[in-house]
Structure formats: C-alpha cells, structure tokens
Amino acid sequence: MFTSDCLNVNDKGHLTIGGVDTLDLAARHGTPVLVMDEAQVRENCRAYTSSIAQYYGGHGMALYASKAFSCKEICRIAKEEGLGLDVVSGGELYTALAADFPPQRIYFHGNNKSPAELAMALEAGVGYIVVDNMQEIELLEDVAAKRGATPQVLLRIKPGVEAHTHEFIRTGQIDSKFGFALETGEAMAAAHAVAQTQHLSLVGIHCHIGSQIFDVAPFELAAEVLLGFVAKVKDELGIEMSQLNLGGGIGIKYLPDDNAPSYTVYFEHVARMIETQCAALGLQKPYLLLEPGRSIPGPAGITLYTVGNVKEIPDVRTYVAVDGGMGDNPRYMMYGAKYTLLNAGKAGEDATETYTVAGRYCESGDLLAEHTKIQPLQPGDVLAVLSTGAYNYSMALNYNRVPKPPVVMVRDGDSRVIVRGESLEDMARLDV
Ligand code: LLP
C-alpha cells in the first residue's frame, strides 16, 4: 500500500511518517505542508555510500543532486553523511555555501552558466566545474585567468544512450541541449580545447542519461561508452581522466507496484562493467561519482492537504478539491506523473472510491491525480500524496500569488520547520 519504509498506520488508523501521526502534523503546521522523514533521507544517503564501499572499494562518492530539493538543512544532512553536492545555479550554490557545505566537494553543472556564476564558483573554491559547451571552455578560461585560478574540469558528454523514461526528462541522446556529442567528434574537440588552455585541468567526464530509470542496462552501457572515450583521450592527448561521473537517474516508487532497481543490482553490474572495461582498455579504475537526486529525498517526503469540496459530476467524475495543487506540485501537469494518494485519517482502510484530485489554482489542468482509487473523502479530511520529497518543492511556483507551503522535518517522534511557509506579505515583497 505504501511507497516508503518511513510510512505506516497507527492504532487510530491514521497514516504516520517517521512514527508521527500525519493528522497531528496537519493540525500543528497547517496544510498544505510537505513533510520529510530525516531518518529516511539519511538512510537513502547511506545506501549509496555503503554500496560504493561494498562494490567499488569505496573509490568514489555520491553527490546529492540538489535540484531535487535544495535548502540549507538538506545540504547539512548531505554534508554530515559524507556526500558531495551537485549544484546547477548560483542559487543552489549560494544555499550550499550558506549551509557551510565544503566547496571542494561541490560539482557545478549547467548548460548555460553565466560569467557571474562561474566567477562566484571560483571565488568560493568550488572543487569541480562540469563544462557543457565550447563557449563555456573559453569563458571559464577567461574567468579563471582573471583570478589566477586553476579549476578542475569534467566534460559533460552525451553518450547517446537512451533510458526508458518520460520523454521530457531524457537527456542522454544526441538531440539534447546538454553536453558534447561523442559521435560527431565534438567531445574529442572539447578535450583538445581544455588541454590547450592555460588554467583548466581536465580531470573527468560526466553523463546523465535520464531520470526515474528502473533499468540497470543503460547505466552499464553509459559506463562502457564513457570509458571508451577516456581511452581515446588518453591515446590522443596523453591525459588519463581519473573521474567517471555517471549522473543520477535511479528511479523510486511512486506507485506501490513500481519496480525501483535495487542498489545491489545497480552497483554490482556497473562496477563489473567498469572493471572489465578498464582491464580491456588498460585504464586505471576511475574515481566513481554518482549524482542521485530523486532517490535521496523523494521517498522520504509526503504532502498533506485539506479537502475543501467534493464535486460529483454524474456519469463523468468526482472532483475532490484540495488547498494546494500545481503550485506545490506541478509534476502531474508537466509530466502526467502518477502518485499514491490516501485519506490520511483512514489509511488502514481499502481505497474504494474513484476521484480526480484538483488543486486550488485557476487552471483546468491543475490536477494531482485523475480517476484514482482513494478511501472515501469529505470536506475537512486530510489527503496525503506520497513520494513528494523530490522535484515538488524545488519546482514549486507562485501562480495566483499563492504562498509556497512550509517544509517540515520529522525526527525522533517530533517535527520542526526546515523551510518556512511563505506569507501573503511575501507575495508582494519584491514589488516596487
Ligand atoms: N545529475 C544531472 C546532471 C541531472 O541533470 C540530474 C537531473 C541529476 C543528476 C539527478 O537525477 P535524479 O537522480 O534525480 O534522477 N523535474 C523532473 C526531473 C528532472 C531531472 C533533471 N536532472 C521530474 O520532476 O521528474
């Protein structure tokens, strides 16, 4: 019935997260509210660290892709758990630095970083810049020269590997705005260009083949393709890049039947592929980097809403309207993303009714789910949407000037606000 270990039902029949009654959370913090279980977030971090230790001799690191959910507290947790960090903007970098995240463990991504963002990264001592295009090589060289900095660089490669996932979130194929293509020789030209600069040092390659992936095979193939390129660069330029970054992408359970891959299978296969390839190509085993986003906070988060009205349209459908919607979770609207929904007060009962859950925004497409089985709902009930920890808050928006909800962290049976909810004053705060 549930999508994550941190969820359960108590003796009142209420949904609990991290052992805390969700109806109490809704009463204490109001709705909508995004609730996250700290123990689950940490456990998800440790799953990566321990798998790298077990299957790859600890010669690597997981970088938390902070685009999935960026705030100071999750940066602190990632730091404490020994992870590195993937940031893609001045804003994510600022957040990490404000949380005292060690800059040497930060990797700065992005397909169009501005000169100001690159300068900010070098000023802060960010460890690695993942360069995306030829202009950026020139730009970074220029920014580095002005500061006398010598940034370490990874090349973002399009390995041409297709992962089976939603079309909008595929990024590995040749027709992608991200990175250098292999087939066209662009990636090799980029390696030559970096090698010819005065200030940049080429230390690795990166790819990200997609998101919410359930198959291990595309990751193995990506590792094989990338190592082939490492060998070619070694031949042509005499530079052996020591870091192999396979990006993020491991899928999570949104529906109880979703078959997320096990870490054991993932790491066993990927590690074996790397070892075989390195032996065949005469390469050193590279330092392995992975960039999990979704799989760190995703399963640890749920969103609680209050039901406002239930509108039955005979022979068509029954709409249940809640006090949030596309503003705090635009994923149904953008991708038709499916979620598990529960009446938090009747979580132990069977889901017998079929509902379409609508948000409160002025947009017909503002839905959270359509024709979905949920326990009976009435105005005032608390509705829980599961697996909302990733790409919900980080993609939240203020359409209709509706304030963004707070994010609350649950730990040891208690809860604390980690991101405050916006106020009505906040809605006009920047207005001149
Ligand atoms: N590394 C890079 C370079 C990425 O572009 C991404 C995600 C990740 C790592 C993390 O991937 P993950 O482990 O989360 O799959 N907004 C979409 C997801 C977009 C993912 C973009 N890149 C969604 O809501 O499903």
Side-chain angles (χ1 to χ4, degrees):
M1 171 164 60
F2 297 136
T3 51
S4 171
D5 294 343
C6 60
L7 304 173
N8 219 326
V9 185
N10 64 16
D11 49 14
K12 294 182 192 153
H14 299 174
L15 176 70
T16 62
I17 176 163
V20 182
D21 190 318
T22 52
L23 295 197
D24 293 344
L25 287 164
R28 176 168 174 197
H29 300 284
T31 60
V33 60
L34 177 59
V35 185
M36 232 177 244
D37 180 44
E38 183 171 338
Q40 184 75 64
V41 173
R42 289 185 185 272
E43 198 179 296
N44 297 341
C45 293
R46 286 171 202 172
Y48 279 94
T49 308
S50 61
S51 299
I52 292 172
Q54 189 176 350
Y55 297 100
Y56 203 69
H59 190 49
M61 179 165 61
L63 315 173
Y64 168 54
S66 64
K67 75 203 74 180
F69 172 55
S70 170
C71 73
K72 290 186 197 172
E73 186 64 1
I74 199 145
C75 290
R76 286 184 204 112
I77 292 174
K79 172 185 163 186
E80 283 170 18
E81 294 298 331
L83 269 55
L85 205 69
D86 150 359
V87 301
V88 296
S89 68
E92 287 180 1
L93 176 57
Y94 179 87
T95 305
L97 297 172
D100 282 329
F101 199 91
Q104 327 77 262
R105 296 213 310 254
I106 298 179
Y107 286 67
F108 193 12
H109 287 268
N111 70 308
N112 193 20
K113 306 174 197 76
S114 71
E117 285 175 320
L118 289 171
M120 176 185 176
L122 298 191
E123 213 66 61
V126 162
Y128 302 89
I129 311 287
V130 184
V131 299
D132 174 272
N133 56 75
M134 288 297 188
Q135 290 83 350
E136 191 183 356
I137 295 173
E138 274 176 48
L139 176 61
L140 183 60
E141 168 67 0
D142 189 46
V143 174
K146 285 193 181 117
R147 281 172 176 68
T150 51
Q152 308 192 81
V153 161
L154 282 79
L155 298 178
R156 175 155 187 171
I157 305 291
K158 289 185 256 195
V161 174
E162 186 187 326
H164 295 281
T165 181
H166 195 288
E167 195 184 11
F168 291 169
I169 48 184
R170 255 186 221 160
T171 51
Q173 346 70 321
I174 185 164
D175 181 14
S176 162
K177 70 170 183 171
F178 298 104
F180 299 100
L182 273 182
E183 302 91 312
T184 59
E186 190 190 17
M188 186 54 80
H192 279 265
V194 173
Q196 277 157 21
T197 62
Q198 301 284 309
H199 297 83
L200 314 187
S201 89
L202 182 59
V203 299
I205 46 170
H206 165 271
C207 74
H208 172 75
I209 58 170
S211 201
Q212 185 58 4
I213 300 171
F214 285 173
D215 260 4
V216 177
F219 291 106
E220 285 178 89
L221 186 54
E224 183 182 351
V225 170
L226 255 51
L227 286 170
F229 180 68
V230 172
K232 246 178 117 185
V233 170
K234 186 182 170 192
D235 279 354
E236 281 195 27
L237 286 163
I239 298 171
E240 183 164 348
M241 295 182 278
S242 61
Q243 296 203 358
L244 177 69
N245 184 332
L246 292 180
I250 293 189
I252 65 165
K253 258 186 206 286
Y254 284 102
L255 304 175
D257 291 339
D258 280 344
N259 239 332
S262 91
Y263 291 94
T264 320
V265 172
Y266 176 91
F267 280 96
E268 264 184 342
H269 283 243
V270 170
R272 198 178 315 136
M273 171 60 78
I274 295 173
E275 264 148 33
T276 314
Q277 279 301 104
C278 286
L281 298 166
L283 298 171
Q284 303 282 325
K285 227 171 94 172
Y287 190 72
L288 179 62
L289 298 163
L290 300 166
E291 289 171 343
R294 191 187 312 271
S295 50
I296 301 283
I302 63 172
T303 307
L304 302 175
Y305 302 96
T306 301
V307 173
N309 59 74
V310 179
K311 197 175 281 180
E312 193 183 331
I313 308 176
D315 302 325
V316 181
R317 60 169 116 191
T318 301
Y319 282 101
V320 171
V322 295
D323 51 357
M326 61 176 274
D328 58 84
N329 184 358
R331 296 190 71 254
Y332 185 81
M333 197 159 171
M334 288 180 76
Y335 317 118
K338 293 203 165 49
Y339 287 93
T340 301
L341 294 85
L342 301 168
N343 180 334
K346 297 181 178 164
E349 296 175 23
D350 288 341
T352 52
E353 308 302 304
T354 303
Y355 293 118
T356 287
V357 177
R360 44 104 11 105
Y361 296 81
C362 294
E363 186 78 44
S364 299
D366 167 29
L367 303 174
L368 291 172
E370 286 184 89
H371 311 296
T372 298
K373 290 269 188 213
I374 310 177
Q375 298 84 359
L377 286 164
Q378 286 177 357
D381 283 348
V382 173
L383 178 80
V385 180
L386 311 186
S387 309
T388 57
Y391 302 115
N392 276 223
Y393 192 81
S394 62
M395 302 209 308
L397 39 95
N398 287 113
Y399 181 48
N400 296 156
R401 292 221 152 178
V402 174
K404 285 181 199 146
V407 184
V408 163
M409 192 71 97
V410 166
R411 174 179 161 163
D412 299 332
D414 202 1
S415 63
R416 66 185 194 281
V417 173
I418 62 164
V419 182
R420 284 185 209 99
E422 287 174 334
S423 64
L424 292 180
E425 298 81 74
D426 287 331
M427 295 303 93
R429 194 165 48 89
L430 303 176
D431 295 1
V432 176

